Amino acid sequence: MTKKTTFRKFVRLLWIAFGATVLVIIGVFGAASAGLLGPMPDFRQLENPKTNLATQIISSDDVVLGKFYFNDNRTPISFHEIPSQMIDALIATEDERFYSHAGIDFKGTARALFYLGSKGGASTITQQLARQLFTGVRSRNTLEAVFQKIKEWVIAIRLERRYTKNEIVTMYLNIYDFNYNADGLRSASSIYFSKLPQELSLSESAMLVGMLKNSSLYNPLRRPELVRERRNIVYQQMVRNQRITEKQRDSLAALPIELDFNPQSHREGIATYFRAYLQQFMRSWIANNPKEDDTFYNLYLDGLNIYTTIDSRLQTYAETAVSTHMPNLQREFFRQNTPDFNLTAPFLDVKKDEIERIMEQAKRRSERWRKMKAQGVDEETILASFDEPTEMEVFSWNGDIDTVMTPTDSIRYYKHFLRAGMMSMEPQSGHVKAWVGGINYRHFQFDHVMQGKRQIGSTFKPFVYATAIDQLKLSPCDSLPDGYYCVEPAKFGAHDAWCPKNSGDRYIGKRTLKNALANSVNTISARLIDKVGPRPVANLARNLGVTSPIPGVPAIALGSADLSVYEMVGAYSSFANKGIYVKPVLVTRIEDKNGTVIYQATPETKDVLSEESAYVTLKLLEGVTESGSGVRLRHVGADKTNPIFRDVVTGYPYAFENPIAGKTGTTQNQSDGWFIGMVPNLVTGVWVGGEDRAAHFETIAYGQGATMALPIWANYMKSCYADSTLVVSQQPFESPAVVSIPLDCDSLALARQQKSFFKEDEDLSDLGF
């Protein structure tokens, strides 16, 4: 056989081999495309790739308060929100020929095959997106891994046909998992840098691009130096692709990794208690609002946008006011409740069997009890487990403490902590602007805005006065005897008369209604409810949005009913809204992931009081802050009796000069302290107390509402007024066009003297007493 013949055979064999290879490749790709190598996405899946999207909770000032999600904390962004330097860094590092290939980089593939991957892989951004969306984690089985790679090539080509390059980049950055619930670029920017994507610097953008290689390995919290090295490689690639200069690279490479880490979880961040309530609200709404196809929205996967009434600025100020005042109050409570001062600490004035009952109830309500009971463990074993030393992390105002103690001791430890609830609302619209349900959601998840209902003390008295004003047209200037007084039992179906006493058994003979409410005089409240009857007072409270039971007995005049902060703020707002009750609004609208509005709030209102009666009640409540229990809002002056501000030489650091209507409340044994304060466009209620009524201050100096709750309101309002971006009113309350009830007590007293009208018998007979 000649050399020429041999060469021809060799060439023929090469062509045959080449053709066979081409046919095999075509066959393999055809098989993959037909789904013979495993399931492939169809046309609809490619047009609408399925990704789990977190539901966003958005404040009224357009700040994301938090998200609802299972595993994927993902919120998509558009291409124009991605910084241009991040696009440059991404293309330079991950896919230099991204804008010139059709999904597969053949040059990169050839290089990877020749060097066996030692000089980088060949996966394009489109292939990486295909893997993220449809094929998943690379199999460890070699044959399956090859099939996966082939499927990725096919899917990449299909993606390139259906999407623009910019859309592919956007999808890729939206879907990547950056760790710590940072799913997608928006979450990563927020969690690692507390920024929006468009606010990222080149250094921050480069760090995130570097993490795309392996976010678990290049973890900036655990391996900052390794991440820095990877970030600098990104810079080098940008130099190679002429996106930055070598001089820029050198200066940027010298910078350390700087994070502003802001983890996002359901128990951390802003408005945690509000978000927990909103979760229940949304579950109820979803259950009653199916889609057109009769399926239901998924709160954690469907990417809803919930637009709330919460203002992030007001919410921050409210949380800060609570976290500023409560440690001071707690410090004093701890000082008074050591075994040296109180052998039954933190409980006061209770017997041993009552303490045992409180502790057992707490055990039965605990998560430990619930879990062990669900596992079928008998009660004796469960109770015994509460006395076994256990490693745990407990709350303190100086930071969480790792310790070892029995669960029983931890329950008793937590019983020491005073709790707080606070809500702020715009009375005209019903929009709830701030919601603080407790002192720390991670450790104290019970919500004292909506869930907690406690005795409200003297904060209920304005309802009694408002009823009397509405029925009898009483004036704040009218006087009533301040003396021991009893309501006869026949009037309310009891066996014994009800004879309340004033605080400290103090009586001064006669008081105006304004003075009586300002100083929470019990006997005057008793006289008023005896005249108008407890039923009309209870009915007024119900018309003002109170849904909790209110017994029809005279004792409600002193606040014997258990109500929530939510109910009280809603009710008080009617006084500032000309007698019109507006049901509190928490959500203004809900949109689906496409921006379609699927819920729009409709205000619920009710005319309850005449505008004049509401205004007169406001004037009475202004007296509380002018000369009564809320007067400390008005001046900066030395007051050595104040235990909380004992270290502040000047006394109370408030000095408000604008009109404020408000009412303090203190319940029996100082178990609950309240303050509800109003300015024309903002009504805010604060409650402070122990988890159990048996945990309380011994003296009223410490346990009154003016000491426990009022400082939180004051600190909050100081912050609101200091913020020029807010419009919180400092103006007087709007007066009705006509007010027939006298409000100027000095002028009225002078007129009565001149007409010899101000006689005791006439004064009382005119009022029907």
Side-chain angles (χ1 to χ4, degrees), residues 432-458:
V432 175
K433 294 299 182 181
W435 177 304
V436 185
I439 58 175
N440 183 290
Y441 185 77
R442 185 162 173 261
H443 292 280
F444 307 93
Q445 293 176 29
F446 188 82
D447 177 25
H448 288 285
V449 169
M450 180 69 79
Q451 288 178 289
K453 296 185 179 182
R454 298 292 288 261
Q455 280 192 351
I456 52 177
S458 294

Side-chain angles (χ1 to χ4, degrees), residues 642-709:
N642 182 354
I644 305 308
F645 294 103
R646 62 171 73 247
D647 297 327
V648 180
V649 176
T650 55
Y652 306 110
Y654 309 128
F656 292 103
E657 297 180 356
N658 57 295
I660 298 170
K663 188 69 188 77
T664 59
T666 307
T667 63
Q668 191 172 10
N669 296 329
Q670 298 80 238
S671 295
D672 306 274
W674 291 80
F675 182 73
I676 301 177
M678 297 181 283
V679 295
N681 66 347
L682 198 64
V683 178
T684 305
V686 182
W687 166 86
V688 174
E691 181 183 22
D692 298 278
R693 289 188 172 96
H696 59 83
F697 280 109
E698 184 174 9
T699 65
I700 198 167
Y702 294 87
Q704 63 179 307
T707 301
M708 292 210 292

Side-chain angles (χ1 to χ4, degrees), residues 74-133:
R74 180 178 294 107
T75 304
I77 60 174
S78 58
F79 181 78
H80 75 269
E81 295 177 89
I82 305 172
S84 59
Q85 71 263 21
M86 173 168 273
I87 301 295
D88 291 341
L90 174 64
I91 303 304
T93 306
E94 294 292 324
D95 192 352
E96 291 178 321
R97 286 171 287 279
F98 175 70
Y99 284 107
S100 60
H101 64 63
I104 301 175
D105 182 1
F106 291 104
K107 183 177 180 180
T109 302
R111 183 199 64 223
L113 289 172
F114 185 81
Y115 290 102
L116 299 178
S118 63
K119 292 194 176 183
S123 288
T124 63
I125 290 174
T126 316
Q127 287 176 249
Q128 293 179 51
L129 174 62
R131 180 167 66 249
Q132 294 277 347
L133 285 174

Side-chain angles (χ1 to χ4, degrees), residues 566-586:
Y566 175 89
E567 291 173 302
M568 291 299 289
V569 172
Y572 265 64
S573 292
S574 303
F575 298 136
N577 192 35
K578 303 180 180 181
I580 301 171
Y581 170 73
V582 182
K583 185 177 181 180
V585 178
L586 302 170

